[in-house]
Amino acid sequence: MAYTVPKLTDYSAAALEHATGECIRSGTAEAASIQNEAELKAFRDRWLARKNGILTQINDSWLKGAPKEAKREAGFRVNELKVRIHELIESTERDYRHRAQIYDRVSSVFVDITLPGIRRPIGAEHPIIRTMNEIVSVFQKLGYSVADGPVVETDYYNFEALNFPPNHPARDTQDTLFIANQQSKPQRERLLLRTHTSPVQIRTMEKMRPPIRIVIPGQVHRNDPPDASHSPMFHQIEGLAVDTNITFGDLKGTLDHAMKALFGSSVKTHFRPSFFPFTEPSAELYVTCFICGGSGKRGSDPCRPCKQTGWIEVLGCGMVDPNVFEFVKDNGYDPKKVSGFAFGMGVDRLALLKYSVDDLQLFFQGDVRFLQQFA
Ligand code: DAH
């Protein structure tokens, strides 16, 4: 019930006390029921309007209408009432604004289910991962399975079991990043960031008996300062096939097929003798430049990716050295009974060439604008 100002007949302190108490209780109840801006304004006007507002009515009725002897007490009570009603209205306004703000915030965060959803950019497969997947799938179609191993590796798997003896100069070619403070451990247990994916050859042969055919994609690290064609972290794919009677002819046939599947059926392959401690004989595989088609020229300009030679080096390979099999002999890899070939290729440089990117660092900076181009 909306409050109406009663006429007073009794001006005793107790009666005034009761009347002001009733007035404040009604005001407080009215304030609590306010729902919107318009009601807030109506409430304020009803109580404070100079003309015929409740406080004005109270002033006229209770104070001016009071008998002389009650004026003092009535004046005191009415003033007190005015202060309290003003306070009530101010706090009502303050509370209302606060609630309205929260409501705005909540209703803007929470859901209008009729709006379209927030579109999340789903990104794109990273060009290096995509290149890796393509290479892996060529070998999967040949019956190879995928293996992996740790990026933080022991000296044993990264070097020793791959026939890099302790202190052998071939170790120096790998610019190894070692984990600090391991001098107290025997050398073969010391940890390092693997410099190639080849250690997974040994790890897999320890777990699986021959015959095996595996590819091993993964990250490797070397102490190479970053520039347009180097990065301390890069990617390799290793391959290993072990069985009875595997020959260099198998290696050549397999890799020739894989290169044609990757770069187009018109590419030619070319093997040059090389050296790796874990393969004997070893070779580097070149394919005819898939940018210039092997001519060494692009129109009248020299072809830069192949340095005008018409050939691009793609990987290292060779027949698994019997010394490597010795480390896993007990798991069925007797070098007198089995033979195999292995290969290892860098992925990043192939991705650079494939997508005509001129700075390797762009692959690793995580700039969405760069990556979006591959979506
Ligand atoms: N691990 C060698 C490197 O990173 C690449 C390599 C060469 C791997 C010959 C092989 C291989 O499996 O047979 O330089």
Side-chain angles (χ1 to χ4, degrees):
M1 262 282 279
Y3 180 70
T4 48
V5 180
K7 276 224 150 340
L8 296 184
T9 43
D10 184 352
Y11 279 88
S12 67
L16 283 166
E17 168 98 36
H18 177 76
T20 53
E22 276 301 294
C23 174
I24 285 169
R25 245 189 310 286
S26 298
T28 307
E30 273 181 40
S33 71
I34 288 170
Q35 299 282 4
N36 56 42
E37 195 77 34
E39 285 176 15
L40 183 69
K41 182 171 178 335
F43 172 68
R44 191 186 162 89
D45 291 348
R46 204 169 106 70
W47 284 81
L48 298 187
R50 270 182 208 289
K51 223 177 132 194
N52 225 20
I54 288 173
L55 284 186
T56 305
Q57 289 179 43
I58 286 175
N59 206 49
D60 289 349
S61 165
W62 295 0
L63 188 56
K64 292 190 185 149
K68 221 173 172 181
E69 65 283 3
K71 277 232 189 306
R72 213 179 108 82
E73 181 69 17
F76 177 71
R77 293 285 178 179
V78 168
N79 274 340
E80 190 186 49
L81 183 65
K82 276 183 191 166
V83 171
R84 292 183 64 182
I85 292 293
H86 271 108
E87 275 172 7
L88 172 69
I89 286 168
E90 269 164 37
S91 70
T92 305
E93 284 179 337
R94 230 183 5 253
D95 288 355
Y96 177 81
R97 303 242 174 275
H98 186 63
R99 267 188 292 140
Q101 246 179 23
I102 291 177
Y103 178 77
D104 278 356
R105 220 177 294 149
V106 167
S107 56
S108 69
V109 170
F110 289 100
V111 187
D112 174 349
I113 57 164
T114 64
L115 289 174
I118 298 166
R119 220 177 271 276
R120 306 240 172 252
I122 52 172
E125 198 173 35
H126 192 282
I128 288 185
I129 302 295
R130 189 189 294 181
T131 306
M132 276 182 147
N133 287 343
E134 280 172 17
I135 299 170
V136 165
S137 82
V138 165
F139 287 95
Q140 280 178 319
K141 289 187 190 124
L142 292 174
Y144 283 62
S145 31
V146 178
D148 70 0
V151 174
V152 178
E153 191 48 283
T154 59
D155 184 284
Y156 176 77
Y157 288 109
N158 197 77
F159 290 126
E160 189 179 334
L162 288 167
N163 198 32
F164 292 77
N167 304 319
H168 193 279
R171 289 176 173 235
D172 296 345
T173 61
Q174 302 248 343
D175 299 317
T176 311
L177 292 162
F178 293 93
I179 308 286
N181 301 327
Q182 300 194 75
Q183 291 79 347
S184 60
K185 288 188 188 165
Q187 179 163 17
R188 57 164 55 176
E189 286 170 29
R190 291 185 200 161
L191 297 173
L192 46 81
L193 296 181
R194 70 176 178 195
T195 56
H196 49 180
T197 41
S198 307
V200 189
Q201 290 187 19
I202 305 292
R203 287 186 173 273
T204 311
M205 287 191 284
E206 284 178 349
K207 282 188 289 215
M208 292 165 61
R209 298 175 70 85
I212 57 170
R213 283 166 179 73
I214 48 164
V215 279
I216 304 143
Q219 276 186 1
V220 301
H221 293 78
R222 291 190 195 181
N223 187 16
D224 277 333
D227 65 24
S229 54
H230 295 87
S231 162
M233 186 283 295
F234 56 103
H235 300 81
Q236 288 188 339
I237 295 183
E238 190 80 12
L240 176 69
V242 183
D243 206 334
T244 46
N245 297 321
I246 298 264
T247 66
F248 202 88
D250 296 316
L251 181 163
K252 285 182 83 171
T254 303
L255 292 180
D256 185 72
H257 166 83
M259 295 304 120
K260 288 186 163 70
L262 283 171
F263 303 117
S265 55
S266 59
V267 299
K268 296 196 179 76
T269 53
H270 168 66
F271 291 81
R272 292 187 198 166
S274 183
F275 171 79
F276 300 101
F278 40 93
T279 44
E280 182 60 34
S282 303
E284 270 152 14
L285 170 61
Y286 288 73
V287 295
T288 41
C289 177
F290 43 84
I291 310 289
C292 67
S295 67
K297 287 209 168 69
R298 298 178 83 182
S300 53
D301 293 335
C303 179
R304 275 205 292 156
C306 67
K307 303 196 183 89
Q308 303 180 60
T309 63
W311 293 95
I312 288 184
E313 188 203 327
V314 182
L315 53 78
C317 59
M319 301 306 291
V320 178
D321 193 301
N323 290 345
V324 172
F325 285 139
E326 288 292 334
F327 287 92
V328 285
K329 195 173 178 173
D330 293 346
N331 200 29
Y333 294 88
D334 181 344
K336 295 199 188 69
K337 297 193 180 131
V338 295
S339 57
F341 65 79
F343 57 88
M345 65 178 106
V347 178
D348 312 63
R349 199 169 54 96
L350 293 179
L352 277 184
L353 293 173
K354 184 170 167 187
Y355 295 107
S356 304
V357 174
D358 56 13
D359 184 350
L360 180 59
Q361 298 309 314
L362 288 166
F363 283 143
F364 307 128
Q365 285 160 348
D367 187 330
V368 178
R369 292 166 304 176
F370 171 74
L371 296 172
Q372 265 165 355
Q373 300 176 81
F374 302 94

